[in-house]
mmCIF file of all heavy atoms in Angstrom:
data_model
loop_
_atom_site.group_PDB
_atom_site.id
_atom_site.type_symbol
_atom_site.label_atom_id
_atom_site.label_comp_id
_atom_site.label_asym_id
_atom_site.label_seq_id
_atom_site.Cartn_x
_atom_site.Cartn_y
_atom_site.Cartn_z
ATOM 1 N N TRP Z 1037 27.242 -2.208 -16.961
ATOM 2 C CA TRP Z 1037 26.030 -2.924 -17.359
ATOM 3 C C TRP Z 1037 25.798 -4.149 -16.493
ATOM 4 O O TRP Z 1037 24.732 -4.393 -16.051
ATOM 5 C CB TRP Z 1037 26.190 -3.341 -18.834
ATOM 6 C CG TRP Z 1037 24.946 -4.029 -19.373
ATOM 7 C CD1 TRP Z 1037 23.873 -3.421 -19.882
ATOM 8 C CD2 TRP Z 1037 24.663 -5.446 -19.357
ATOM 9 N NE1 TRP Z 1037 22.929 -4.342 -20.242
ATOM 10 C CE2 TRP Z 1037 23.380 -5.606 -19.952
ATOM 11 C CE3 TRP Z 1037 25.412 -6.547 -18.984
ATOM 12 C CZ2 TRP Z 1037 22.788 -6.857 -20.105
ATOM 13 C CZ3 TRP Z 1037 24.810 -7.775 -19.149
ATOM 14 C CH2 TRP Z 1037 23.504 -7.931 -19.702
ATOM 15 N N ILE Z 1038 26.884 -4.886 -16.143
ATOM 16 C CA ILE Z 1038 26.779 -6.043 -15.282
ATOM 17 C C ILE Z 1038 26.265 -5.634 -13.897
ATOM 18 O O ILE Z 1038 25.346 -6.256 -13.342
ATOM 19 C CB ILE Z 1038 28.071 -6.789 -15.231
ATOM 20 C CG1 ILE Z 1038 28.371 -7.480 -16.546
ATOM 21 C CG2 ILE Z 1038 28.081 -7.831 -14.124
ATOM 22 C CD1 ILE Z 1038 29.749 -8.041 -16.699
ATOM 23 N N ALA Z 1039 26.878 -4.571 -13.367
ATOM 24 C CA ALA Z 1039 26.432 -4.102 -12.028
ATOM 25 C C ALA Z 1039 24.992 -3.642 -12.053
ATOM 26 O O ALA Z 1039 24.220 -3.912 -11.091
ATOM 27 C CB ALA Z 1039 27.391 -3.007 -11.604
ATOM 28 N N GLY Z 1040 24.593 -2.932 -13.140
ATOM 29 C CA GLY Z 1040 23.234 -2.448 -13.173
ATOM 30 C C GLY Z 1040 22.192 -3.550 -13.252
ATOM 31 O O GLY Z 1040 21.178 -3.501 -12.608
ATOM 32 N N THR Z 1041 22.471 -4.533 -14.133
ATOM 33 C CA THR Z 1041 21.496 -5.634 -14.222
ATOM 34 C C THR Z 1041 21.475 -6.476 -12.959
ATOM 35 O O THR Z 1041 20.417 -6.928 -12.569
ATOM 36 C CB THR Z 1041 21.809 -6.501 -15.450
ATOM 37 O OG1 THR Z 1041 23.171 -6.878 -15.440
ATOM 38 C CG2 THR Z 1041 21.500 -5.824 -16.731
ATOM 39 N N THR Z 1042 22.596 -6.668 -12.314
ATOM 40 C CA THR Z 1042 22.654 -7.399 -11.073
ATOM 41 C C THR Z 1042 21.848 -6.672 -10.051
ATOM 42 O O THR Z 1042 21.050 -7.276 -9.285
ATOM 43 C CB THR Z 1042 24.111 -7.574 -10.611
ATOM 44 O OG1 THR Z 1042 24.789 -8.305 -11.586
ATOM 45 C CG2 THR Z 1042 24.146 -8.358 -9.312
ATOM 46 N N PHE Z 1043 21.963 -5.345 -9.988
ATOM 47 C CA PHE Z 1043 21.178 -4.538 -8.996
ATOM 48 C C PHE Z 1043 19.689 -4.705 -9.261
ATOM 49 O O PHE Z 1043 18.914 -4.891 -8.359
ATOM 50 C CB PHE Z 1043 21.603 -3.060 -9.146
ATOM 51 C CG PHE Z 1043 20.839 -2.138 -8.200
ATOM 52 C CD1 PHE Z 1043 21.210 -2.090 -6.898
ATOM 53 C CD2 PHE Z 1043 19.821 -1.392 -8.682
ATOM 54 C CE1 PHE Z 1043 20.502 -1.223 -6.039
ATOM 55 C CE2 PHE Z 1043 19.108 -0.518 -7.858
ATOM 56 C CZ PHE Z 1043 19.464 -0.457 -6.537
ATOM 57 N N LEU Z 1044 19.293 -4.642 -10.575
ATOM 58 C CA LEU Z 1044 17.882 -4.748 -10.870
ATOM 59 C C LEU Z 1044 17.337 -6.132 -10.553
ATOM 60 O O LEU Z 1044 16.201 -6.236 -10.062
ATOM 61 C CB LEU Z 1044 17.664 -4.499 -12.368
ATOM 62 C CG LEU Z 1044 17.780 -3.076 -12.816
ATOM 63 C CD1 LEU Z 1044 17.642 -2.937 -14.326
ATOM 64 C CD2 LEU Z 1044 16.687 -2.186 -12.125
ATOM 65 N N VAL Z 1045 18.104 -7.177 -10.744
ATOM 66 C CA VAL Z 1045 17.620 -8.535 -10.529
ATOM 67 C C VAL Z 1045 17.614 -8.892 -9.008
ATOM 68 O O VAL Z 1045 16.689 -9.561 -8.591
ATOM 69 C CB VAL Z 1045 18.482 -9.553 -11.344
ATOM 70 C CG1 VAL Z 1045 18.160 -10.968 -10.943
ATOM 71 C CG2 VAL Z 1045 18.182 -9.323 -12.822
ATOM 72 N N LEU Z 1046 18.614 -8.470 -8.276
ATOM 73 C CA LEU Z 1046 18.752 -8.911 -6.924
ATOM 74 C C LEU Z 1046 18.318 -7.882 -5.890
ATOM 75 O O LEU Z 1046 17.645 -8.243 -4.872
ATOM 76 C CB LEU Z 1046 20.235 -9.286 -6.625
ATOM 77 C CG LEU Z 1046 20.795 -10.401 -7.413
ATOM 78 C CD1 LEU Z 1046 22.270 -10.638 -7.112
ATOM 79 C CD2 LEU Z 1046 20.013 -11.717 -7.190
ATOM 80 N N VAL Z 1047 18.627 -6.632 -6.071
ATOM 81 C CA VAL Z 1047 18.406 -5.615 -5.004
ATOM 82 C C VAL Z 1047 17.003 -4.991 -5.096
ATOM 83 O O VAL Z 1047 16.344 -4.820 -4.069
ATOM 84 C CB VAL Z 1047 19.507 -4.550 -5.040
ATOM 85 C CG1 VAL Z 1047 19.244 -3.511 -4.012
ATOM 86 C CG2 VAL Z 1047 20.847 -5.235 -4.856
ATOM 87 N N VAL Z 1048 16.506 -4.727 -6.284
ATOM 88 C CA VAL Z 1048 15.214 -4.083 -6.387
ATOM 89 C C VAL Z 1048 14.083 -4.933 -5.818
ATOM 90 O O VAL Z 1048 13.264 -4.391 -5.052
ATOM 91 C CB VAL Z 1048 14.932 -3.631 -7.860
ATOM 92 C CG1 VAL Z 1048 13.462 -3.218 -8.047
ATOM 93 C CG2 VAL Z 1048 15.901 -2.539 -8.282
ATOM 94 N N PRO Z 1049 14.014 -6.218 -6.074
ATOM 95 C CA PRO Z 1049 12.950 -7.002 -5.390
ATOM 96 C C PRO Z 1049 13.123 -7.052 -3.889
ATOM 97 O O PRO Z 1049 12.143 -7.054 -3.159
ATOM 98 C CB PRO Z 1049 13.188 -8.422 -5.976
ATOM 99 C CG PRO Z 1049 13.834 -8.210 -7.259
ATOM 100 C CD PRO Z 1049 14.701 -7.016 -7.088
ATOM 101 N N LEU Z 1050 14.315 -6.997 -3.393
ATOM 102 C CA LEU Z 1050 14.540 -6.911 -1.904
ATOM 103 C C LEU Z 1050 13.993 -5.606 -1.352
ATOM 104 O O LEU Z 1050 13.324 -5.631 -0.333
ATOM 105 C CB LEU Z 1050 16.029 -7.050 -1.611
ATOM 106 C CG LEU Z 1050 16.387 -6.976 -0.138
ATOM 107 C CD1 LEU Z 1050 15.814 -8.105 0.646
ATOM 108 C CD2 LEU Z 1050 17.906 -6.922 -0.017
ATOM 109 N N ILE Z 1051 14.229 -4.519 -2.082
ATOM 110 C CA ILE Z 1051 13.744 -3.205 -1.639
ATOM 111 C C ILE Z 1051 12.212 -3.203 -1.640
ATOM 112 O O ILE Z 1051 11.570 -2.692 -0.735
ATOM 113 C CB ILE Z 1051 14.304 -2.092 -2.502
ATOM 114 C CG1 ILE Z 1051 15.850 -1.938 -2.260
ATOM 115 C CG2 ILE Z 1051 13.627 -0.817 -2.218
ATOM 116 C CD1 ILE Z 1051 16.510 -1.004 -3.238
ATOM 117 N N ILE Z 1052 11.598 -3.778 -2.685
ATOM 118 C CA ILE Z 1052 10.146 -3.808 -2.766
ATOM 119 C C ILE Z 1052 9.550 -4.660 -1.635
ATOM 120 O O ILE Z 1052 8.583 -4.267 -1.000
ATOM 121 C CB ILE Z 1052 9.710 -4.371 -4.152
ATOM 122 C CG1 ILE Z 1052 10.013 -3.417 -5.239
ATOM 123 C CG2 ILE Z 1052 8.242 -4.704 -4.162
ATOM 124 C CD1 ILE Z 1052 9.887 -3.952 -6.655
ATOM 125 N N GLU Z 1053 10.167 -5.805 -1.329
ATOM 126 C CA GLU Z 1053 9.682 -6.662 -0.246
ATOM 127 C C GLU Z 1053 9.858 -5.945 1.124
ATOM 128 O O GLU Z 1053 8.974 -6.077 1.976
ATOM 129 C CB GLU Z 1053 10.434 -7.969 -0.279
ATOM 130 C CG GLU Z 1053 9.884 -8.989 0.724
ATOM 131 C CD GLU Z 1053 8.427 -9.368 0.491
ATOM 132 O OE1 GLU Z 1053 8.000 -9.361 -0.679
ATOM 133 O OE2 GLU Z 1053 7.747 -9.592 1.503
ATOM 134 N N MET Z 1054 10.964 -5.282 1.328
ATOM 135 C CA MET Z 1054 11.136 -4.545 2.560
ATOM 136 C C MET Z 1054 10.098 -3.430 2.699
ATOM 137 O O MET Z 1054 9.574 -3.187 3.815
ATOM 138 C CB MET Z 1054 12.521 -3.939 2.609
ATOM 139 C CG MET Z 1054 13.615 -4.986 2.838
ATOM 140 S SD MET Z 1054 15.303 -4.367 2.727
ATOM 141 C CE MET Z 1054 15.338 -3.144 3.983
ATOM 142 N N ASP Z 1055 9.743 -2.757 1.599
ATOM 143 C CA ASP Z 1055 8.692 -1.759 1.634
ATOM 144 C C ASP Z 1055 7.317 -2.309 1.974
ATOM 145 O O ASP Z 1055 6.576 -1.776 2.780
ATOM 146 C CB ASP Z 1055 8.666 -1.016 0.279
ATOM 147 C CG ASP Z 1055 7.733 0.205 0.325
ATOM 148 O OD1 ASP Z 1055 7.822 0.960 1.296
ATOM 149 O OD2 ASP Z 1055 6.953 0.363 -0.641
ATOM 150 N N ARG Z 1056 7.047 -3.497 1.366
ATOM 151 C CA ARG Z 1056 5.762 -4.133 1.733
ATOM 152 C C ARG Z 1056 5.678 -4.524 3.203
ATOM 153 O O ARG Z 1056 4.658 -4.397 3.825
ATOM 154 C CB ARG Z 1056 5.609 -5.424 0.859
ATOM 155 C CG ARG Z 1056 5.232 -5.165 -0.526
ATOM 156 C CD ARG Z 1056 5.000 -6.480 -1.271
ATOM 157 N NE ARG Z 1056 4.789 -6.279 -2.678
ATOM 158 C CZ ARG Z 1056 4.835 -7.239 -3.603
ATOM 159 N NH1 ARG Z 1056 5.214 -8.442 -3.224
ATOM 160 N NH2 ARG Z 1056 4.593 -6.975 -4.862
ATOM 161 N N GLU Z 1057 6.813 -5.027 3.720
ATOM 162 C CA GLU Z 1057 6.855 -5.414 5.127
ATOM 163 C C GLU Z 1057 6.643 -4.178 6.034
ATOM 164 O O GLU Z 1057 5.925 -4.255 7.009
ATOM 165 C CB GLU Z 1057 8.193 -6.042 5.444
ATOM 166 C CG GLU Z 1057 8.308 -6.602 6.870
ATOM 167 C CD GLU Z 1057 7.467 -7.834 7.120
ATOM 168 O OE1 GLU Z 1057 7.157 -8.542 6.145
ATOM 169 O OE2 GLU Z 1057 7.111 -8.026 8.271
ATOM 170 N N GLN Z 1058 7.250 -3.058 5.652
ATOM 171 C CA GLN Z 1058 7.071 -1.815 6.472
ATOM 172 C C GLN Z 1058 5.608 -1.373 6.367
ATOM 173 O O GLN Z 1058 5.077 -0.972 7.428
ATOM 174 C CB GLN Z 1058 8.003 -0.737 5.898
ATOM 175 C CG GLN Z 1058 7.930 0.592 6.588
ATOM 176 C CD GLN Z 1058 8.423 0.505 8.021
ATOM 177 O OE1 GLN Z 1058 9.282 -0.262 8.322
ATOM 178 N NE2 GLN Z 1058 7.824 1.318 8.895
ATOM 179 N N GLN Z 1059 5.016 -1.436 5.234
ATOM 180 C CA GLN Z 1059 3.604 -1.015 5.125
ATOM 181 C C GLN Z 1059 2.671 -1.977 5.925
ATOM 182 O O GLN Z 1059 1.713 -1.483 6.587
ATOM 183 C CB GLN Z 1059 3.136 -1.044 3.681
ATOM 184 C CG GLN Z 1059 3.716 0.094 2.854
ATOM 185 C CD GLN Z 1059 3.305 -0.009 1.413
ATOM 186 O OE1 GLN Z 1059 2.640 -0.987 0.971
ATOM 187 N NE2 GLN Z 1059 3.715 0.968 0.609
ATOM 188 N N LEU Z 1060 3.007 -3.251 5.954
ATOM 189 C CA LEU Z 1060 2.244 -4.210 6.731
ATOM 190 C C LEU Z 1060 2.362 -3.909 8.225
ATOM 191 O O LEU Z 1060 1.368 -3.943 8.984
ATOM 192 C CB LEU Z 1060 2.652 -5.631 6.458
ATOM 193 C CG LEU Z 1060 1.904 -6.763 7.114
ATOM 194 C CD1 LEU Z 1060 0.451 -6.747 6.727
ATOM 195 C CD2 LEU Z 1060 2.519 -8.089 6.827
ATOM 196 N N ASN Z 1061 3.594 -3.615 8.682
ATOM 197 C CA ASN Z 1061 3.764 -3.277 10.085
ATOM 198 C C ASN Z 1061 3.061 -2.023 10.461
ATOM 199 O O ASN Z 1061 2.450 -1.920 11.574
ATOM 200 C CB ASN Z 1061 5.274 -3.113 10.415
ATOM 201 C CG ASN Z 1061 6.030 -4.437 10.392
ATOM 202 O OD1 ASN Z 1061 5.407 -5.494 10.499
ATOM 203 N ND2 ASN Z 1061 7.349 -4.372 10.201
ATOM 204 N N GLU Z 1062 3.062 -1.012 9.619
ATOM 205 C CA GLU Z 1062 2.316 0.210 9.892
ATOM 206 C C GLU Z 1062 0.811 -0.050 9.964
ATOM 207 O O GLU Z 1062 0.119 0.535 10.784
ATOM 208 C CB GLU Z 1062 2.635 1.335 8.852
ATOM 209 C CG GLU Z 1062 4.093 1.842 8.950
ATOM 210 C CD GLU Z 1062 4.402 2.774 7.826
ATOM 211 O OE1 GLU Z 1062 3.522 3.041 6.945
ATOM 212 O OE2 GLU Z 1062 5.500 3.315 7.783
ATOM 213 N N LEU Z 1063 0.344 -0.861 9.071
ATOM 214 C CA LEU Z 1063 -1.109 -1.205 9.070
ATOM 215 C C LEU Z 1063 -1.490 -1.924 10.354
ATOM 216 O O LEU Z 1063 -2.544 -1.633 11.013
ATOM 217 C CB LEU Z 1063 -1.448 -2.041 7.867
ATOM 218 C CG LEU Z 1063 -2.908 -2.442 7.677
ATOM 219 C CD1 LEU Z 1063 -3.780 -1.265 7.474
ATOM 220 C CD2 LEU Z 1063 -3.027 -3.429 6.559
ATOM 221 N N GLU Z 1064 -0.670 -2.838 10.797
ATOM 222 C CA GLU Z 1064 -0.928 -3.549 12.059
ATOM 223 C C GLU Z 1064 -0.931 -2.598 13.243
ATOM 224 O O GLU Z 1064 -1.799 -2.738 14.139
ATOM 225 C CB GLU Z 1064 0.094 -4.692 12.290
ATOM 226 C CG GLU Z 1064 -0.101 -5.861 11.324
ATOM 227 C CD GLU Z 1064 0.955 -6.899 11.494
ATOM 228 O OE1 GLU Z 1064 1.904 -6.696 12.283
ATOM 229 O OE2 GLU Z 1064 0.845 -7.945 10.845
ATOM 230 N N LEU Z 1065 0.027 -1.706 13.264
ATOM 231 C CA LEU Z 1065 0.077 -0.722 14.357
ATOM 232 C C LEU Z 1065 -1.170 0.192 14.303
ATOM 233 O O LEU Z 1065 -1.731 0.512 15.409
ATOM 234 C CB LEU Z 1065 1.342 0.162 14.250
ATOM 235 C CG LEU Z 1065 2.632 -0.431 14.654
ATOM 236 C CD1 LEU Z 1065 3.802 0.456 14.337
ATOM 237 C CD2 LEU Z 1065 2.601 -0.787 16.150
ATOM 238 N N GLN Z 1066 -1.654 0.581 13.140
ATOM 239 C CA GLN Z 1066 -2.795 1.419 13.006
ATOM 240 C C GLN Z 1066 -4.046 0.690 13.492
ATOM 241 O O GLN Z 1066 -4.879 1.207 14.200
ATOM 242 C CB GLN Z 1066 -2.964 1.898 11.579
ATOM 243 C CG GLN Z 1066 -4.118 2.900 11.405
ATOM 244 C CD GLN Z 1066 -4.212 3.312 9.917
ATOM 245 O OE1 GLN Z 1066 -3.704 2.622 9.038
ATOM 246 N NE2 GLN Z 1066 -4.917 4.368 9.701
ATOM 247 N N GLN Z 1067 -4.162 -0.590 13.094
ATOM 248 C CA GLN Z 1067 -5.323 -1.372 13.522
ATOM 249 C C GLN Z 1067 -5.294 -1.636 15.023
ATOM 250 O O GLN Z 1067 -6.346 -1.567 15.718
ATOM 251 C CB GLN Z 1067 -5.372 -2.751 12.792
ATOM 252 C CG GLN Z 1067 -5.750 -2.642 11.316
ATOM 253 C CD GLN Z 1067 -5.683 -3.965 10.652
ATOM 254 O OE1 GLN Z 1067 -5.189 -4.914 11.140
ATOM 255 N NE2 GLN Z 1067 -6.225 -3.974 9.411
ATOM 256 N N ALA Z 1068 -4.112 -1.879 15.593
ATOM 257 C CA ALA Z 1068 -3.995 -2.087 17.055
ATOM 258 C C ALA Z 1068 -4.376 -0.827 17.764
ATOM 259 O O ALA Z 1068 -5.000 -0.891 18.863
ATOM 260 C CB ALA Z 1068 -2.603 -2.519 17.373
ATOM 261 N N SER Z 1069 -3.985 0.335 17.335
ATOM 262 C CA SER Z 1069 -4.347 1.549 18.028
ATOM 263 C C SER Z 1069 -5.820 1.835 17.869
ATOM 264 O O SER Z 1069 -6.428 2.408 18.853
ATOM 265 C CB SER Z 1069 -3.568 2.743 17.465
ATOM 266 O OG SER Z 1069 -3.928 3.034 16.121
ATOM 267 N N LEU Z 1070 -6.495 1.422 16.831
ATOM 268 C CA LEU Z 1070 -7.934 1.680 16.699
ATOM 269 C C LEU Z 1070 -8.683 0.727 17.617
ATOM 270 O O LEU Z 1070 -9.780 1.094 18.169
ATOM 271 C CB LEU Z 1070 -8.343 1.452 15.249
ATOM 272 C CG LEU Z 1070 -7.939 2.544 14.238
ATOM 273 C CD1 LEU Z 1070 -8.333 2.168 12.833
ATOM 274 C CD2 LEU Z 1070 -8.608 3.849 14.601
ATOM 275 N N LEU Z 1071 -8.187 -0.470 17.794
ATOM 276 C CA LEU Z 1071 -8.859 -1.490 18.610
ATOM 277 C C LEU Z 1071 -8.553 -1.306 20.113
ATOM 278 O O LEU Z 1071 -9.238 -1.882 20.963
ATOM 279 C CB LEU Z 1071 -8.496 -2.914 18.211
ATOM 280 C CG LEU Z 1071 -8.923 -3.310 16.796
ATOM 281 C CD1 LEU Z 1071 -8.383 -4.670 16.470
ATOM 282 C CD2 LEU Z 1071 -10.432 -3.314 16.660
ATOM 283 N N GLY Z 1072 -7.550 -0.500 20.451
ATOM 284 C CA GLY Z 1072 -7.247 -0.197 21.790
ATOM 285 C C GLY Z 1072 -6.273 -1.216 22.420
ATOM 286 O O GLY Z 1072 -6.018 -1.130 23.610
ATOM 287 N N THR Z 1073 -5.733 -2.130 21.664
ATOM 288 C CA THR Z 1073 -4.798 -3.071 22.256
ATOM 289 C C THR Z 1073 -3.384 -2.512 22.107
ATOM 290 O O THR Z 1073 -3.060 -1.816 21.154
ATOM 291 C CB THR Z 1073 -4.876 -4.448 21.518
ATOM 292 O OG1 THR Z 1073 -4.584 -4.256 20.169
ATOM 293 C CG2 THR Z 1073 -6.231 -5.047 21.699
ATOM 294 N N PRO Z 1074 -2.516 -2.839 23.106
ATOM 295 C CA PRO Z 1074 -1.176 -2.306 22.945
ATOM 296 C C PRO Z 1074 -0.430 -2.993 21.805
ATOM 297 O O PRO Z 1074 -0.601 -4.176 21.580
ATOM 298 C CB PRO Z 1074 -0.494 -2.613 24.339
ATOM 299 C CG PRO Z 1074 -1.333 -3.757 24.838
ATOM 300 C CD PRO Z 1074 -2.709 -3.572 24.324
ATOM 301 N N PRO Z 1075 0.372 -2.230 21.037
ATOM 302 C CA PRO Z 1075 1.094 -2.831 19.912
ATOM 303 C C PRO Z 1075 2.064 -3.885 20.416
ATOM 304 O O PRO Z 1075 2.638 -3.784 21.484
ATOM 305 C CB PRO Z 1075 1.826 -1.680 19.239
ATOM 306 C CG PRO Z 1075 1.516 -0.456 20.067
ATOM 307 C CD PRO Z 1075 0.666 -0.839 21.189
ATOM 308 N N VAL Z 1076 2.248 -4.914 19.542
ATOM 309 C CA VAL Z 1076 3.180 -5.991 19.908
ATOM 310 C C VAL Z 1076 4.627 -5.494 19.810
ATOM 311 O O VAL Z 1076 4.989 -4.832 18.872
ATOM 312 C CB VAL Z 1076 2.976 -7.138 18.921
ATOM 313 C CG1 VAL Z 1076 3.947 -8.280 19.247
ATOM 314 C CG2 VAL Z 1076 1.517 -7.639 18.988
ATOM 315 N N GLY Z 1077 5.386 -5.766 20.865
ATOM 316 C CA GLY Z 1077 6.817 -5.400 20.826
ATOM 317 C C GLY Z 1077 7.062 -4.043 21.471
ATOM 318 O O GLY Z 1077 8.237 -3.631 21.525
#
C-alpha cells in the first residue's frame, strides 16, 4: 500500500509531464516541417 500510494503521488505526475513534453516536441517538429524551417537540434 505504501509503495502504491508513493507511486501514484510521485511517479504518475512525472509520467504525465514527460508525455506532455513529448507531445509538445512532436508538435514543434510538425510545425517546423510545415513552415519549411529545419528542426532545432
Side-chain angles (χ1 to χ4, degrees):
W1037 184 85
I1038 291 170
T1041 50
T1042 302
F1043 179 78
L1044 286 175
V1045 169
L1046 298 176
V1047 178
V1048 170
L1050 178 65
I1051 292 172
I1052 292 171
E1053 187 58 34
M1054 289 172 59
D1055 187 46
R1056 283 183 186 164
E1057 185 70 26
Q1058 179 67 30
Q1059 288 177 356
L1060 182 63
N1061 288 340
E1062 289 174 0
L1063 181 64
E1064 287 177 356
L1065 284 174
Q1066 186 181 18
Q1067 286 177 350
S1069 67
L1070 288 175
L1071 295 175
T1073 58
V1076 179

